[in-house]
Amino acid sequence: MSATTASPARPVPAPARSPRAALVLTSWAFVLAIVLLAVAVLAGQAAYVAARGQGTSWFESLTDALDGLEPETWVGVVGVLVALVGLWLLWQAVRPRPRTTLRVVASSGIHLRSADVARWVNATAGDVPGVLDTSTSVTRRSVRVTVRTTGSPDILSEVREEVARQLSALEQPPSLSVRPSEGRRP
């Protein structure tokens, strides 16, 4: 008499989220950090002078130098440009970052970079009989395969069918274009 015990069902993890591009602000954040550090040094020097009760703050010297200036057109233009740069930086901080990968239909959430899809498509197209060489360019929306063949006209359609079959494993297969190479044939 053997008793079989059913093992508890393992929960399937949620699929991984699609990787996103890095923020554009990383280099701008560095520049902004340097500017804020300079302002902090100026404020620290002003606080130090105020605490000691003697000396001249750099802020005071700067405001004294600017005192008496007449309004000029270039100040307004510079102000508008600085405001536009500030708005652009704000937009870069809050905008959705673009996806950088293509998702494979799987419960585990596998994602492929464009370079990986290009290698995969090159290998697939290269396995078709009569294909001598391939080159592939991939974006998130399209795959373009350039094929150098032995000359048979049916090879391009065979490559298109085989690559399309492989790309159907992607959640949103990109559009496919297969064309003959412009190079020399043997």
Side-chain angles (χ1 to χ4, degrees), residues 37-53:
L37 184 61
V39 170
V41 166
L42 288 174
Q45 191 271 342
Y48 178 73
V49 167
R52 286 188 58 208

Side-chain angles (χ1 to χ4, degrees), residues 104-158:
V104 176
V105 177
S107 62
S108 59
I110 299 171
H111 299 270
L112 296 174
R113 296 174 303 152
S114 295
D116 300 328
V117 173
R119 283 192 284 273
W120 180 30
V121 167
N122 272 336
T124 300
D127 287 344
V128 174
V131 172
L132 301 174
D133 189 31
T134 64
S135 67
T136 305
S137 66
V138 177
T139 65
R140 285 191 38 79
R141 295 193 174 135
S142 69
V143 173
R144 186 174 66 200
V145 184
T146 305
V147 182
R148 189 167 63 104
T149 68
T150 56
S152 172
D154 297 334
I155 293 177
L156 291 180
S157 62
E158 290 174 23

Side-chain angles (χ1 to χ4, degrees), residues 56-93:
T56 305
S57 140
W58 294 334
F59 277 138
E60 276 185 46
S61 299
L62 182 62
T63 56
D64 289 343
L66 295 176
D67 190 24
L69 288 180
E70 299 285 327
E72 294 189 30
T73 311
W74 70 269
V75 174
V77 172
V78 169
V80 168
L81 289 176
V82 167
L84 289 175
V85 168
L87 289 173
W88 181 80
L89 288 172
L90 184 63
W91 168 245
Q92 292 301 318

Side-chain angles (χ1 to χ4, degrees), residues 24-40:
V24 174
L25 288 183
T26 52
S27 58
W28 285 97
F30 178 75
V31 172
L32 185 59
I34 296 296
V35 169
L36 290 176
L37 184 61
V39 170

